[in-house]
Amino acid sequence: MKNKRRIAVLLAAMLVAGTLCSVPVMAEENTSVESLTIGMTKDQSTITPFTYINGTPGFDVMRFIYDSLFTIDENNEAVPWMVSDDYEISEDYKTYKVTLLDGIKWQDGEPLTPDDVKFTFEYVLTQENGRWIGIASGVDSIDINGNEITFRLNAPNPDFIRSGLADMRIVAKHVYEGVEDATTVPSMGSGAYKMTDYAADQYYTLEAFDEYFKGTPTVKTLQMPIISDSSVMQQSMISGEIAAYTGSISPEMIETYSSIENIDLIQTEGYVSTLLLFNCERTPFDEAEFRKALTYGIDLDEIIEQVCLGYADKGTAGYVKEGLAEYTEGLDYVYDPEKAIEMLDSIGYTELDENGMRLGKDGKEMDLELLVQSGNTTRTRTAELIAQQLGEIGVKVTVTSMESGSVDDKVWPEFDVSKGRDYDMAMWGWSAPVIQKAGAIVTACYSDYVQGGDNLGGYKNAEFDVMAEKYLSSEDVEERIELSHEMQTFAAEEAPFVTLFFMDTVSAVNTEQYNGWAEAKGTYAFNVFSFLPE
């Protein structure tokens, strides 16, 4: 009852603050309403491009507030958004020319201009957010001619539209110019919704931007109480206190939600990864043969059956998900505990303690810590099962559950891989945009911490780096794909991490309160397309 009371208190606080409409006003066919309450799984600071914390829910909600020149649509394709359809790409993939649409405004009423776009790409280089630095650092110059914007890159990038122009959030020059620390600027973008209220660890309120260039959103107010307890979130969904929540529902709730009237499930193919990270800078994970041996001791089929209840696609040692352009066949993980034991013996981990657990090469106890985010039941259960499986090949693993931010601090301090790392193993996951971008294997394994901005394990290999450099300098798309295949095959033997699975995206939505929910491949029902007019 204590947790239920907390939700009631949060909703009451929003009402007192003047941000909560007590009864949604339903329009004909229930596709336009005054207010919806959406559960938010965790606090994401002020949700600007420089302050959001996680891909889900932070980046997902930021898409409501800040736009990009291109966007990822319901079919998971990068399409023009703030620019016209007649964009141009040079044959060498180094020059991209777009035309900004007329009439786009900032949420404070000021016009959005090409100067804002140019300023954005230059300004992010003065900040410490690695995601945007990686994009902007690839741009050599930006020229403006009226509404025409020409990007000239310092190296060929056939994926610049998806991984750059559809990712970079545009910020207002008149707001950020002269500001040394971008994290001090309050939320204000050009997107479909503007943030009108935020109470740390309590709630967010988003209001429709009436002058949005794609049309006024169908829901005027989005109330978003922060509900970190998954059981409370589920009960709030069942009782109708919330109409949906950010992220995917846990597999064990699918049957429960399916049986409840007015709750529909929207299921799409998922691209969000679940990984087992190794700290490649720390013994024994600095030894490729040791990491590879562990992969033979992990039974992905058992994990997907017991934890995901079948609602997931198995990962591969090549990292890239099947179906994507750079996917490499034949790199499936093999569960072979006998092979794992043989490999561990062959590289010197032969001594056992009284419990049958392997000692380190120095003869001392080897107890490997596996960090997991305490609020994520799927990752917690996966970690526990991995510890059990590795224990069967004589590798002792202790699962340590920590608050999500504490795990971030150890794995990805200040969200900058150059800052180092302090862990043995960790459960992790990347959002769909990270997984789907071309060259994902480069950013995950390259030792250059700008181009290898997703290399959270600190993996370094000179042979891999040579292939990565060739990939980044190539003007030939087919050559890039072949190089990606080579890098994936190489990484499969090096095992800098284990790509465990890709969960299906399953969202629960209340169709009595609202039935304009849009199915968008690879993302959740709570997406901006659910609230845009046709």
Side-chain angles (χ1 to χ4, degrees), residues 372-399:
V372 64
Q373 298 80 1
S374 56
N376 192 315
T377 55
T378 299
R379 290 186 190 173
T380 298
R381 291 169 182 169
T382 299
E384 292 169 348
L385 194 49
I386 287 173
Q388 176 186 322
Q389 292 173 350
L390 294 183
E392 292 171 1
I393 62 171
V395 176
K396 184 179 180 181
V397 174
T398 298
V399 176

Side-chain angles (χ1 to χ4, degrees), residues 108-122:
D108 64 1
E110 293 293 317
L112 190 152
T113 72
D115 284 336
D116 291 304
V117 177
K118 179 179 171 68
F119 170 80
T120 296
F121 279 80
E122 295 171 345

Side-chain angles (χ1 to χ4, degrees), residues 238-310:
I238 292 169
S239 67
E241 292 177 81
I242 61 176
Y245 53 88
T246 57
S248 187
I249 68 174
S250 56
E252 67 271 13
M253 289 301 298
I254 290 175
E255 184 176 351
T256 299
Y257 286 142
S258 297
S259 65
I260 299 175
E261 188 178 1
N262 299 322
I263 290 183
D264 280 1
L265 298 181
I266 298 177
Q267 181 177 352
T268 66
E269 180 181 4
Y271 290 92
V272 175
S273 65
T274 298
L275 307 176
L276 173 65
L277 295 181
F278 299 136
N279 184 348
C280 299
E281 296 179 328
R282 177 177 292 181
T283 302
F285 300 103
D286 55 354
E287 190 172 2
E289 292 87 347
F290 182 85
R291 302 191 302 262
K292 180 69 173 179
L294 296 195
T295 69
Y296 285 111
I298 298 174
D299 186 351
L300 296 186
D301 288 324
E302 183 180 27
I303 291 172
I304 289 174
E305 179 182 352
Q306 291 195 16
V307 179
C308 307
L309 305 181

Side-chain angles (χ1 to χ4, degrees), residues 373-482:
Q373 298 80 1
S374 56
N376 192 315
T377 55
T378 299
R379 290 186 190 173
T380 298
R381 291 169 182 169
T382 299
E384 292 169 348
L385 194 49
I386 287 173
Q388 176 186 322
Q389 292 173 350
L390 294 183
E392 292 171 1
I393 62 171
V395 176
K396 184 179 180 181
V397 174
T398 298
V399 176
T400 300
S401 181
M402 303 175 67
E403 187 272 329
S404 178
S406 298
V407 176
D408 293 345
D409 290 342
K410 287 182 169 291
V411 175
W412 199 10
E414 300 179 39
F415 305 108
D416 183 349
V417 289
S418 69
K419 301 289 186 182
R421 52 209 49 84
D422 180 20
Y423 69 96
D424 292 336
M425 297 185 289
M427 297 300 301
W428 197 260
W430 288 117
S431 62
V434 174
I435 295 299
Q436 293 173 307
K437 64 188 175 186
I441 189 65
V442 174
T443 58
C445 298
Y446 191 19
S447 67
D448 178 285
Y449 285 147
V450 175
Q451 299 295 344
D454 301 336
N455 185 358
L456 301 187
Y459 172 71
K460 294 181 181 180
N461 184 284
E463 189 174 345
F464 182 93
D465 285 354
V466 169
M467 290 184 282
E469 289 161 9
K470 287 181 180 179
Y471 178 97
L472 293 171
S473 63
S474 175
E475 300 177 6
D476 188 322
V477 175
E478 293 304 318
E479 181 184 29
R480 280 184 167 228
I481 291 175
E482 287 303 314

Side-chain angles (χ1 to χ4, degrees), residues 63 71-79 81 520-521 523 529:
R63 287 190 67 188
T71 197
I72 305 301
D73 70 3
E74 302 100 309
N75 298 312
N76 199 32
E77 300 291 338
V79 298
W81 193 249
K521 185 178 179 182
T523 190
F529 299 108

